[in-house]
Amino acid sequence: MMKVSLFAIPLIVLSGAVWAESATQTDWSGGPGVAGPVSTWTDDFYLGTDLDWDTEPGQLKLVINKAENVIDPSVAQAYGCELADMDGDGYRDMVGCSRSGDYVSWWRNTNAGTTWTEHTIGFINGPVFLCTADIDGDGDRDVFVAAADGDEVAWFRNNDHGSSWTKFTIEAGFDARQISIGDFDGDGDTDLAGVSSETGDVVWWRNRISEGLPWLKTYVDGALLGAYACDTGDVDLDGDFDIVATSTTGNTVVLYTNEVESTGTWVKSTVGSGVMGPYSVLIANVDEDDRPEIVVARLSGISYFDYVGGTTWNNVVINNSVASVRSIVGFDFDGDGDVDLASCSAGSSDDVCWFQNLPGSSWEMNVVDNDFQDGVCILAGDIDNDGVPDIAGAASGENRISWWRIGGFKSPGILYSSILEISQPGYWQYLIWSYEQPYGTSIFFNLRASDNPSAMGPWSAGILDPGSIIGILEDGRSYLQYKVTLQTAYHYATPSLKDLTITWSPTGIEEGEGDRVLTLSSPNPCFGSVDLDWTLVEPGNVTLSVYDASGRIVRIVESGWFEAGTHSSVVDGLPGGVYAACLQGRGFTAMHRLVMLD
């Protein structure tokens, strides 16, 4: 539900004369830096933090949170990485590898993503890909590593919450390009699948640790030349793990349906052909039907294959403008319940992007970083434990591993206006603003007024709704400043401020008349009734009215022809509250604030 207000400014009009002066601001796109005093608010202001004031002139919103946070800037040829809680403290740590440095490390997340401490896991020649799982069933996350340069597949046992590690070789002489985990034989242990670019092999290794036996390799396919990427999941919804693999030589996407438990075999079928540069593949349900799709990163974009029936798949384009995509990940970044995507690119493009999955099979691309040189791995997860998903990745060209907050808006955002100089100080009346407030968001104001722009004094209490500001500020002050705060409890929504107006009523007679024409002869505040004395310098028709704080006339005290001189009127029978007595005649308007006590 969204709260929308296009609040009308309540100007009090008597016989064609308006007694409210006003100041309005409708745009902030000029940016900060103008402290004031200024004679009018234009399109600039004094200070602002965590607000978007220039994307849409005429709207003030919270800024999208997508700053880069570097985990480690010196990981030589940073490659495969993964987010996992390696020490059991509840935070997602980073596990990564250095291809040219020949090592694997993990970085402990010690302060909600702001502080990272590196711990070496072990050494292996040319690691390019890794994944984590509790391989030996002891409760700690262990690490699988594919070392394509050294032709080795290994796993590192986490001996005690990441404090020490032991390396075990699963197979030597296998140049695994990518690996993926799954329980392929249904025995409850974590097995491993992998693909080899050199031999075209697609294989899986059975985990026999609980039996005290070495890993057992089984061939799935021996003829997928140029095999590059793989992922595992239940594609055909039969309850076991299937394998999807791609070939950068044949430009194909292939599905291997798992029949291991029933027949001990795998059934191969082509999902798509002519897919140029399929460097990453993902099994995910992106269209919210009853079956997962196969998402593929290509040299010229991202698409997914939707199962039609039999051996037929329909290729659906997500985006054709992002180039040289090397890695993709699926996650619900916007909190709407469906799977969005994130990607990183290498070569002709160095973008980190996320793609919002919108209704009607449409996707919106959001660039997170356009200078992440040779991004080779992209991840998703809540790194700072704020309930909002984040993105992380490795850039081999810049030797760094980083993360970004991208799944929400920063909150709160605060703006301080320029100090406004008021030519006719008077009695403060109303603060009115137009806005949009989605559920879980809010806008509130603080005001302050002074006769010295260098010492504006304390801020008022927060003003949560448009309306009267009578009694909030001290009347008669020559300088005014507002502070507006936008905030959200729901990180995917932002309020929007469109304009604001502050009104006040000048004291004394308009058009320069110097005599004070409306005074009180009773104490103010007063009980029960109040005596008003008013003076006319010449005879004429006048009206003496009383308004409540909302601008509504509650009493017409006098109306008609009166001689010049001083007159007295009594106002009684009003409930407790703040009122304005207004005397209006030919060529002048005068007012006085009344405070009635019950």
Side-chain angles (χ1 to χ4, degrees):
M1 182 178 67
M2 179 179 290
K3 184 177 180 182
V4 180
S5 173
L6 300 175
F7 207 104
I9 301 170
L11 299 179
I12 298 175
V13 181
L14 298 174
S15 304
V18 178
W19 58 261
E21 297 287 329
S22 66
T24 298
Q25 184 151 16
T26 61
D27 188 14
W28 299 266
S29 61
V34 181
V38 297
S39 59
T40 184
W41 287 320
T42 56
D43 64 353
D44 41 35
F45 52 92
Y46 178 36
L47 294 173
T49 58
D50 295 333
L51 288 172
D52 180 356
W53 52 74
D54 57 356
T55 299
E56 298 179 67
Q59 290 201 55
L60 193 64
K61 298 181 177 181
L62 293 172
V63 69
I64 296 175
N65 196 345
K66 55 182 182 180
E68 180 182 2
N69 306 274
V70 177
I71 294 173
D72 193 325
S74 57
V75 183
Q77 204 176 3
Y79 239 77
C81 56
E82 185 163 311
L83 291 168
D85 183 4
M86 305 306 290
D87 55 359
D89 66 352
Y91 282 106
R92 287 174 173 82
D93 307 304
M94 175 62 72
V95 185
C97 59
S98 166
R99 183 172 186 175
S100 60
D102 300 329
Y103 66 87
V104 182
S105 288
W106 74 280
W107 288 261
R108 186 183 180 203
N109 181 357
T110 56
N111 189 22
T114 61
T115 305
W116 300 82
T117 305
E118 183 180 5
H119 302 269
T120 300
I121 292 175
F123 298 90
I124 191 169
N125 185 14
V128 296
F129 204 88
L130 58 79
C131 51
T132 68
D134 183 6
I135 299 169
D136 55 0
D138 66 352
D140 288 326
R141 302 287 291 191
D142 309 302
V143 181
F144 286 112
V145 180
D149 297 347
D151 294 343
E152 183 180 5
V153 178
W155 73 283
F156 291 85
R157 185 176 66 197
N158 184 347
N159 295 318
D160 184 20
H161 300 301
S163 61
S164 67
W165 299 81
T166 303
K167 177 187 172 185
F168 300 89
T169 297
I170 295 175
E171 181 168 349
F174 189 90
D175 70 318
R177 172 59 60 177
Q178 287 189 19
I179 51 178
S180 185
I181 61 174
D183 181 8
F184 302 112
D185 55 1
D187 65 353
D189 293 325
T190 301
D191 307 310
L192 184 68
V195 295
S196 168
S197 292
E198 290 183 4
T199 64
D201 290 338
V202 179
V203 304
W204 72 280
W205 292 271
R206 183 184 173 198
N207 180 349
R208 300 192 296 175
I209 294 174
S210 61
E211 304 171 48
L213 297 173
W215 293 73
L216 179 64
K217 181 172 72 173
T218 301
Y219 283 90
V220 178
D221 189 356
L224 189 65
L225 296 179
Y228 195 93
C230 66
D231 195 21
T232 57
D234 187 8
V235 177
D236 58 359
L237 303 180
D238 66 351
D240 51 27
F241 281 83
D242 308 305
I243 300 174
V244 175
T246 68
S247 165
T248 55
T249 300
N251 296 316
T252 55
V253 181
V254 178
L255 169 64
Y256 301 94
T257 303
N258 185 348
E259 305 292 342
V260 171
E261 289 188 65
S262 58
T263 66
T265 62
W266 296 79
V267 178
K268 177 180 179 180
S269 61
T270 299
V271 174
S273 58
V275 183
M276 302 301 295
Y279 288 111
S280 184
V281 67
L282 171 70
I283 299 171
N285 190 344
V286 296
D287 63 0
E288 296 187 289
D289 60 7
D290 59 354
R291 186 179 178 123
E293 285 70 50
I294 298 174
V295 188
V296 181
R298 303 175 282 110
L299 282 177
S300 58
I302 302 173
S303 62
Y304 69 86
F305 290 90
D306 189 19
Y307 183 68
V308 177
T311 59
T312 304
W313 296 76
N314 183 31
N315 187 12
V316 180
V317 173
I318 292 175
N319 185 278
N320 275 333
S321 63
V322 59
S324 303
V325 181
R326 291 304 180 98
S327 182
I328 52 176
V329 67
F331 207 89
D332 183 9
F333 291 111
D334 57 3
D336 64 354
D338 53 26
V339 177
D340 309 299
L341 298 172
S343 71
C344 63
S345 300
S348 61
S349 173
D350 293 315
D351 292 338
V352 174
C353 304
W354 76 278
F355 301 85
Q356 186 177 15
N357 189 348
L358 299 173
S361 300
S362 62
W363 296 76
E364 179 179 315
M365 185 175 83
N366 303 271
V367 177
V368 178
D369 195 317
N370 59 8
D371 190 26
F372 198 57
Q373 187 177 345
D374 292 335
V376 291
C377 184
I378 198 75
L379 308 169
D382 184 5
I383 294 173
D384 53 2
N385 276 15
D386 65 350
V388 181
D390 309 303
I391 285 178
S396 64
E398 292 184 322
N399 303 321
R400 77 177 189 263
I401 299 175
S402 298
W403 72 280
W404 299 262
R405 294 182 179 94
I406 60 93
F409 294 94
K410 290 186 177 181
S411 180
I414 301 174
L415 182 141
Y416 297 84
S417 76
S418 304
I419 295 173
L420 180 70
E421 183 174 6
I422 297 172
S423 59
Q424 283 188 293
Y427 297 90
W428 305 112
Q429 293 297 309
Y430 297 97
L431 168 61
I432 307 299
W433 65 89
S434 301
Y435 61 92
E436 292 182 2
Q437 266 182 226
Y439 177 78
T441 70
S442 63
I443 299 174
F444 69 88
F445 284 82
N446 303 91
L447 302 175
R448 59 183 181 181
S450 172
D451 283 329
N452 182 358
S454 299
M456 290 296 294
W459 292 101
S460 71
I463 302 169
L464 303 178
D465 296 298
S468 172
I469 56 173
I470 295 174
I472 291 178
L473 294 175
E474 190 169 354
D475 293 323
R477 300 307 181 191
S478 300
Y479 298 96
L480 172 68
Q481 186 180 27
Y482 71 82
K483 177 175 73 171
V484 60
T485 301
L486 282 68
Q487 56 189 11
T488 180
Y490 183 61
H491 294 275
Y492 307 107
T494 175
S496 172
L497 177 65
K498 301 177 182 299
D499 58 63
L500 70 101
T501 296
I502 298 176
T503 68
W504 64 93
S505 177
T507 59
I509 300 175
E510 293 182 356
E511 299 185 352
E513 182 66 46
D515 292 338
R516 188 108 181 233
V517 298
L518 181 61
T519 60
L520 297 180
S521 54
S522 301
N524 192 24
C526 54
F527 291 92
S529 65
V530 60
D531 295 327
L532 296 173
D533 294 336
W534 44 281
T535 302
L536 297 180
V537 295
E538 60 183 25
N541 282 306
V542 296
T543 300
L544 177 61
S545 306
V546 178
Y547 295 81
D548 65 14
S550 68
R552 180 174 59 92
I553 295 177
V554 295
R555 186 73 52 81
I556 297 178
V557 183
E558 307 284 1
S559 182
W561 179 273
F562 290 87
E563 297 295 333
T566 300
H567 304 267
S568 295
S569 301
V570 177
V571 179
D572 57 14
L574 295 176
V578 179
Y579 299 89
C582 183
L583 181 70
Q584 193 264 341
R586 184 174 180 271
F588 74 89
T589 301
M591 65 87 63
H592 207 296
R593 185 175 61 171
L594 310 176
V595 180
M596 306 295 293
L597 301 178
D598 290 327

